[in-house]
Amino acid sequence: MFLTFQVNCIKFSKQSTSRPLFFQFWGGSSPKIAILAMKKCFQYFLMPVLLLFFSSKLWATHNRAGEIRVEQTGAQSVRATIITYTKSSSVPADRDTLEICWGDGICEKVARSNGRGENLPNDVKRNLYVATHTYPGRLSYRISMTDPNRNGGVLNVNFPHSDNIPFHIQTSISFLNTQFQGGNSTPQLLQPPIDRGCVNKLFIHNPNAFDADGDSLAYRLITPLQDVGSEVPRYEFPWQITPGANNSMTLDPRTGTLRWEKPQSAGEYNIAIQIISYRRGIPIDTTIRDMQILVESCRNEPPKIESKDKFCVIAGQQLKFDVKATDPDVGQKVKLSALGGPLIVPISPATFNNTPAFTPPPITSTFTWNTTCEHIEEQPYSVVFKATDNFFDTTGLVDLKLVQIKVVGPPPENVTAQPQRDYTIISWKKPYMCENAQNRYFYAFSVWRKEGSNPFALDTCTNGLDGKGYTRVVIDTLFPIINGKYTFKDNTVQRGRTYCYRILGHFAKRTVANNPYNLVASLPSEEVCVQLNRDLPLILNTSVTETSTTTGKIFVKWTKPIAEDLDTILNPGPYRFQLFRATGITRTNLTPIVGAVWTSRYFKTLQDTIFNDNNLNTLQNAYSYKIGFYTQGGDTLLGYSEVASSVYLKMASTDRINNLSWEKDVPWTNSQYVIYRRNPATNQFDSIGTSLTTIYQDNDLTNGIEYCYYVKSIGTYGIPSVESPLINLSERLCGTPIDTVPPCPPTLKVLNECDTTGLAANIINKLRWTNPIYQCRNARDLAIFKVYYTEKQGGTWKLIATITNRNDTTFEHRNANGTIAGCYAVTAVDSIGNESAKSSVVCVDNCPYYKLPNTFTPNGDGQNDLFKPMKDAFRYIEKVDFQVFNRWGQAVFQTNDPHIGWNGKNINGDDLATGTYFYICTVFEQRLEGVVQKKEVLKGFIELIR
């Protein structure tokens, strides 16, 4: 302790004078005098300010890495575990308690729960601090822990003084409605956040996150934090230390695998990984892991793991595969281990034979998992296999291999379908294999249908039926059981059509009220198809042949039923067709068309029929049709055909563009649409494009010129005996493009010279923005730029400049009061006057700078008589709390004036003696309005010389 004080005393005195403190006070150089001086130094100087000046140093925990895991234990209660990895050798700085802040205004001390911590190799200690808390309401909260210091020497954090930077970790969690949405716990990160690598060797890491709730996870690399909302200063990402073409780092946003290609400099690095949990596409919790990478200069190649990247297994089956580890360095040994969700699930966990000691390679271990229905999840499980060599005797370089395992629900079996006159009966096997699952419990079946067949091969990695062309007809938890099988009656079919069906099982987590959440579908069943009887007519055409508000025409055509399906004995003639019509696209209120009636005594003489519907307003309306079919003398209605409408075209014109869209409601399937436009040279309509949807954009037109269009639909019933393709035309519609679209907004940057020393008067905000001419088509008639400014975030915008040269994308600005704080935005305006949206708002804050000297000479010679901020070292400071103390800790001077102007006199106006004085200066910075004012505390020594 004596030597520590001696070194510190000499060190600090050298900050104030060119000689050690005891030389200045007492002179001489003998050991006796030196020891005496040191005692006096401690007695008269260090004691008054020791706690004040060195508190952060003495309490440093030298944190390397960590995160906070949160588990929901009740409707508004959680259990939080702070996990830190600290420097084992920092025994005096070991922390048996930490402070956790719950995000609701409450902070509390938490004792370490794993004794004195767990000592790990490489001077690392693992510490756990567990606490519980109940919140006042069901909201989102940020749980955090801030400790004063990181470990020293981290290359990319405020180097070389990373130990002066606080270590901050936080986890945000949202309380959901536990009755309907389920509980929410953050993922468990199974891979420790301390890893080693070698210069010029590939480094791989994966946090190995396991989310017991089954939520989907996303990963992002961020800057580590030193407090809530505050990034660590002077941070550089690892690849920015000795950057180069071969030095790069990537983080897979879906798997969390971090790859650092060829680190260039040996040393310790810290990174932060943000892990976000999503439920139904909504983020519900966020964990920030701060991790450390130790890169060493070593002539060593890492081991190599051989295994497949992904496995898919049907629940109930056994998954078994070998993992092999080798090492290219002759004579080295390897140890192989595994961590992952399958190894810690509560029901039937997987097994893997970890090698307990280093073993000569190659070594092979077997992963075995007897899966059950409780293991079914939408997201794949992750298992990280780790091979470690013994390059450093007890540890060495590692290779990580991420293997993803997806457990899917089995497909429902023995599906059958029976066609009836106007419905189908679908049935499947009971019991379903997984209908008694508990943890991921069985929830429901769903029935899916499509017209026509899609006989795809079963892929065990693809559950559900998304993208396969099927439409879900029903999902239900209670299907009737008939003849020992689940049964469903489909009443939404049309006669004469061919339908194909598949069945899915669905699994879910249960809320406390037994409501489902995080649903996951099984593999689809085999396909089964049926064709219904065609005993009613089918409409084939509803095509517009003339466009007019008064004399429009639509061509209607239909085909008669099939005799075998009709059963003419039960339904004898005479027969009658009646055509019905309604204005607009509708399935209701269709009325008979006068004169649109066709009769026949015998079915064989009943022909497919056509009708030209005249004197319509086809320009402004669509029309819908159906056929009534009557038997037994033409008076008994057997039924109606499906309703079919004409294709109705709409248009929205804008700058050099006509946007076309169309509507229809037809019983057949349209596979393609052809768009026609009138050629002014020939007055004929030419095909200009096709569309698989009901929209089309015609570009590169001339504003002010009229363009006319119609659309041709191409469809089919998919029934072999029915005419195909079915061609139907829309009305003809004309429109004129006009410029109503503003240019796209510029992208703005604001630069200044805040990173240099100098007076505020020399700092100007330099605005630079991109030119929309080179970004978007609708900026070709760009005319001017407008520059807007507001003094605070969310304030009222003021137009401060209009740039009339459309190639000038720069502007310089500073406030009249001399500050640079404020927010800027730029818009682009075209020749018509259409103004773009504002660019992304860029807010600039003042860059306060304040530096004090360490000596002054108040002797009245006009030179350096006042103690004040150094020249050009004072800008954007609102006020200070400046206090000076003598060697006994007594206050001798105080001021709030940032110019200070101390003349060497004490509070009573008496001249102070030559000597060394200690000061504390709290600096209050001048900030952008609306931004929390920051304070900085400066401490140091002043040499007063007369």
Side-chain angles (χ1 to χ4, degrees):
M1 186 65 74
F2 174 79
L3 291 178
T4 300
F5 285 131
Q6 181 183 27
V7 172
N8 285 344
C9 186
I10 296 173
K11 174 183 177 183
F12 296 146
S13 66
K14 285 185 177 179
Q15 293 179 357
S16 305
T17 181
S18 61
R19 296 180 296 165
L21 183 62
F22 51 83
F23 283 172
Q24 179 186 339
F25 285 166
W26 297 281
S29 58
S30 70
K32 182 176 181 179
I33 295 176
I35 293 173
L36 177 62
M38 182 51 60
K39 290 181 178 179
K40 290 182 178 292
C41 175
F42 178 75
Q43 176 182 358
Y44 295 117
F45 178 68
L46 287 178
M47 289 185 65
V49 297
L50 190 59
L51 291 177
L52 183 66
F53 193 56
F54 303 113
S55 58
S56 63
K57 292 286 184 181
L58 289 176
W59 290 102
T61 56
H62 302 286
N63 291 276
R64 294 183 181 274
E67 71 257 0
I68 300 176
R69 162 121 165 96
V70 181
E71 302 165 86
Q72 186 172 355
T73 57
Q76 293 168 202
S77 300
V78 297
R79 177 172 56 249
T81 303
I82 301 173
I83 308 169
T84 66
Y85 292 77
T86 57
K87 194 171 182 179
S88 298
S89 58
S90 296
V91 177
D94 188 36
R95 185 63 64 88
D96 60 0
T97 60
L98 289 176
E99 184 176 67
I100 186 171
C101 291
W102 295 103
D104 59 355
I106 297 175
C107 299
E108 62 178 297
K109 297 290 185 181
V110 183
R112 185 162 50 199
S113 61
N114 63 333
R116 295 185 177 181
E118 178 187 359
N119 286 311
L120 304 174
N122 303 319
D123 197 16
V124 177
K125 177 183 282 190
R126 183 173 183 263
N127 310 279
L128 302 178
Y129 307 82
V130 181
T132 59
H133 188 67
T134 298
Y135 286 94
R138 186 164 56 84
L139 300 170
S140 297
Y141 299 93
R142 179 171 50 215
I143 302 170
S144 64
M145 187 282 295
T146 305
D147 204 71
N149 300 82
R150 297 172 176 268
N151 70 292
V154 179
L155 291 183
N156 64 329
V157 178
N158 195 43
F159 185 77
H161 301 299
S162 58
D163 52 340
N164 291 335
I165 303 303
F167 177 80
H168 177 85
I169 49 179
Q170 64 184 44
T171 293
S172 299
I173 187 167
S174 298
F175 282 98
L176 308 178
N177 188 325
T178 54
Q179 298 290 316
F180 300 99
Q181 299 168 296
N184 178 26
S185 295
T186 63
Q188 186 176 354
L189 308 185
L190 302 176
Q191 204 68 28
I194 304 283
D195 236 332
R196 303 179 77 169
C198 272
V199 173
N200 283 320
K201 306 296 181 185
L202 172 65
F203 171 82
I204 300 177
H205 177 83
N206 190 292
N208 199 358
F210 173 63
D211 195 303
D213 296 330
D215 299 320
S216 59
L217 303 178
Y219 303 82
R220 192 162 70 96
L221 203 60
I222 64 171
T223 300
L225 302 178
Q226 64 175 348
D227 204 342
V228 174
S230 178
E231 297 177 346
V232 299
R234 299 183 61 215
Y235 180 77
E236 296 180 276
F237 286 100
W239 67 85
Q240 295 173 319
I241 305 295
T242 318
N246 296 323
N247 186 2
S248 63
M249 180 179 284
T250 58
L251 178 68
D252 191 311
R254 296 180 63 87
T255 66
T257 296
L258 178 83
R259 292 177 60 91
W260 187 4
E261 306 284 347
K262 295 188 176 181
Q264 296 296 298
S265 298
E268 292 179 349
Y269 299 81
N270 271 73
I271 63 171
I273 299 176
Q274 187 181 64
I275 301 106
I276 308 170
S277 300
Y278 289 85
R279 187 172 299 177
R280 301 184 68 179
I282 299 173
I284 58 173
D285 62 65
T286 300
T287 301
I288 294 179
R289 159 176 271 195
D290 197 315
M291 72 164 289
Q292 190 168 88
I293 306 168
L294 174 61
V295 177
E296 299 179 89
S297 296
C298 45
R299 295 182 179 179
N300 184 31
E301 294 290 337
K304 184 67 177 177
I305 297 177
E306 298 177 16
S307 172
K308 286 180 62 177
D309 294 333
K310 186 174 183 179
F311 294 89
C312 297
V313 58
I314 299 176
Q317 296 180 350
Q318 183 188 74
L319 175 65
K320 190 173 185 178
F321 62 92
D322 290 335
V323 181
K324 181 180 179 181
T326 59
D327 196 296
D329 297 309
V330 178
Q332 286 193 355
K333 298 180 180 180
V334 177
K335 186 162 56 175
L336 186 60
S337 61
L339 292 170
L343 296 160
I344 62 172
V345 292
I347 299 175
S348 186
T351 60
F352 183 73
N353 299 322
N354 293 338
T355 53
F358 287 103
T359 305
I363 57 175
T364 301
S365 292
T366 301
F367 179 91
T368 305
W369 194 11
N370 294 311
T371 64
T372 69
C373 297
E374 283 75 15
H375 299 148
I376 296 169
E377 291 287 355
E378 180 67 29
Q379 306 301 323
Y381 294 85
S382 293
V383 180
V384 175
F385 297 95
K386 181 178 180 179
T388 308
D389 67 25
N390 64 339
F391 180 75
F392 302 109
D393 293 330
T394 59
T395 184
L397 291 187
V398 303
D399 181 33
L400 297 182
K401 177 71 174 183
L402 172 67
V403 175
Q404 293 192 310
I405 302 170
K406 185 167 185 177
V407 181
V408 295
E413 298 177 325
N414 300 340
V415 182
T416 61
Q418 299 175 353
Q420 305 298 321
R421 183 171 182 267
D422 52 5
Y423 64 89
T424 58
I425 298 292
I426 302 96
S427 59
W428 59 96
K429 179 182 176 180
K430 177 181 171 48
Y432 175 55
M433 175 182 166
C434 284
E435 64 182 42
N436 294 318
Q438 298 299 317
N439 177 50
R440 169 63 81 173
Y441 82 100
F442 177 73
Y443 168 62
F445 289 108
S446 61
V447 179
W448 296 69
R449 183 185 74 198
K450 78 179 296 293
E451 293 188 40
S453 176
N454 183 12
F456 60 84
L458 188 66
D459 178 6
T460 56
C461 288
T462 306
N463 56 316
L465 282 166
D466 290 343
K468 301 296 185 182
Y470 293 83
T471 300
R472 190 177 73 186
V473 180
V474 65
I475 180 170
D476 203 344
T477 57
L478 295 173
F479 284 95
I481 300 171
I482 300 177
N483 297 325
K485 300 181 73 175
Y486 291 109
T487 305
F488 171 66
K489 180 179 180 180
D490 186 5
N491 293 308
T492 61
V493 293
Q494 299 173 12
R495 295 175 183 174
R497 309 296 288 270
T498 298
Y499 297 99
C500 294
Y501 295 89
R502 291 184 188 265
I503 313 297
L504 293 177
H506 295 271
F507 302 84
K509 300 282 188 181
R510 289 182 188 267
T511 69
V512 292
N514 280 335
N515 291 311
Y517 72 97
N518 276 357
L519 269 67
V520 54
S522 72
L523 293 174
S525 70
E526 293 292 335
E527 183 184 67
V528 59
C529 300
V530 294
Q531 183 174 4
L532 274 68
N533 293 337
R534 185 156 65 85
D535 57 358
L536 290 174
L538 295 177
I539 296 180
L540 305 178
N541 294 98
T542 53
S543 185
V544 178
T545 55
E546 184 173 328
T547 301
S548 171
T549 57
T550 56
T551 60
K553 296 180 181 179
I554 293 181
F555 171 72
V556 184
K557 180 180 178 181
W558 60 94
T559 183
K560 69 179 184 180
I562 297 176
E564 293 81 0
D565 292 343
L566 175 64
D567 193 341
T568 55
I569 296 177
L570 293 177
N571 299 286
Y575 302 96
R576 175 167 65 93
F577 289 135
Q578 171 68 62
L579 182 61
F580 292 75
R581 181 186 68 209
T583 301
I585 297 178
T586 179
R587 297 188 179 188
T588 60
N589 300 321
L590 281 77
T591 58
I593 300 175
V594 177
V597 178
W598 297 262
T599 60
S600 174
R601 182 175 181 82
Y602 303 105
F603 185 80
K604 66 179 180 179
T605 60
L606 186 66
Q607 301 297 320
D608 294 343
T609 307
I610 61 174
F611 178 72
N612 286 298
D613 197 8
N614 301 321
N615 300 320
L616 303 174
N617 181 359
T618 52
L619 179 64
Q620 297 174 330
N621 297 313
Y623 291 88
S624 298
Y625 298 88
K626 69 179 180 181
I627 312 295
F629 182 47
Y630 300 81
T631 64
Q632 301 183 31
D635 297 324
T636 301
L637 177 65
L638 185 63
Y640 296 103
S641 71
E642 293 293 323
V643 174
S645 76
S646 59
V647 180
Y648 186 61
L649 179 62
K650 297 179 179 180
M651 188 186 314
S653 299
T654 183
D655 184 22
R656 305 181 66 190
I657 294 172
N658 280 329
N659 289 305
L660 308 180
S661 63
W662 49 94
E663 299 176 289
K664 83 291 184 272
D665 183 11
V666 294
W668 58 85
T669 301
N670 285 323
S671 59
Q672 189 181 50
Y673 302 91
V674 183
I675 295 86
Y676 291 83
R677 186 179 71 196
R678 186 174 61 191
N679 186 330
T682 64
N683 208 32
Q684 300 296 314
F685 282 80
D686 299 329
S687 170
I688 61 170
T690 61
S691 176
L692 300 179
T693 65
T694 57
I695 58 174
Y696 182 82
Q697 187 177 83
D698 193 13
N699 301 307
D700 296 322
L701 305 178
T702 302
N703 288 338
I705 301 297
E706 184 180 67
Y707 297 85
C708 298
Y709 305 85
Y710 72 83
V711 173
K712 177 175 73 176
S713 67
I714 302 175
T716 181
Y717 275 105
I719 301 174
S721 59
V722 176
E723 176 185 331
S724 182
L726 304 178
I727 305 298
N728 290 279
L729 308 181
S730 74
E731 84 282 13
R732 297 181 178 184
L733 186 63
C734 301
T736 303
I738 186 173
D739 186 359
T740 60
V741 180
C744 54
T747 300
L748 175 64
K749 290 183 179 180
V750 180
L751 309 174
N752 53 47
E753 297 179 349
C754 273
D755 57 344
T756 63
T757 61
L759 297 175
N762 299 327
I763 300 178
I764 296 176
N765 287 328
K766 300 177 181 178
L767 283 65
R768 304 287 186 270
W769 58 88
T770 57
N771 196 324
I773 291 176
Y774 308 111
Q775 294 178 272
C776 54
R777 297 160 57 103
N778 54 4
R780 283 172 289 192
D781 59 342
L782 175 68
I784 62 173
F785 293 106
K786 292 185 177 182
V787 182
Y788 293 89
Y789 170 81
T790 180
E791 295 178 352
K792 61 181 180 180
Q793 294 176 340
T796 302
W797 290 106
K798 301 175 184 177
L799 178 65
I800 60 173
T802 300
I803 312 298
T804 56
N805 181 353
R806 71 177 196 166
N807 295 313
D808 185 0
T809 56
T810 64
F811 181 71
E812 294 185 354
H813 178 255
R814 71 194 313 272
N815 294 334
N817 62 4
T819 68
I820 60 170
C823 299
Y824 296 91
V826 177
T827 63
V829 184
D830 65 18
S831 57
I832 304 298
N834 297 310
E835 184 173 3
S836 74
K838 289 182 173 62
S839 65
S840 54
V841 176
V842 178
C843 292
V844 179
D845 204 350
N846 289 323
C847 45
Y849 185 65
Y850 198 66
K851 188 173 182 180
L852 298 175
N854 59 10
T855 184
F856 76 121
T857 58
N859 53 14
D861 64 357
Q863 300 294 325
N864 201 23
D865 283 333
L866 297 177
F867 183 83
K868 58 185 178 180
M870 298 175 65
K871 184 179 179 181
D872 296 342
F874 171 19
R875 66 173 182 245
Y876 306 132
I877 303 301
E878 181 177 304
K879 64 179 181 178
V880 299
D881 182 5
F882 179 78
Q883 300 180 68
V884 181
F885 302 87
N886 62 18
R887 71 179 68 177
W888 295 279
Q890 297 171 332
V892 296
F893 180 76
Q894 189 275 336
T895 184
N896 297 119
D897 185 354
H899 295 88
I900 300 178
W902 181 35
N903 59 5
K905 296 181 183 294
N906 65 14
I907 295 173
N908 297 322
D910 301 324
D911 287 340
L912 293 168
T914 295
T916 302
Y917 296 83
F918 175 70
Y919 73 84
I920 300 175
C921 182
T922 303
V923 182
F924 296 84
E925 302 171 349
Q926 189 178 16
R927 288 288 181 179
L928 173 68
E929 187 175 349
V931 175
V932 177
Q933 187 184 53
K934 293 184 178 180
K935 296 188 297 182
E936 182 179 357
V937 179
L938 305 178
K939 305 173 186 177
F941 301 90
I942 304 171
E943 194 70 23
L944 190 156
I945 302 173
R946 291 195 180 276

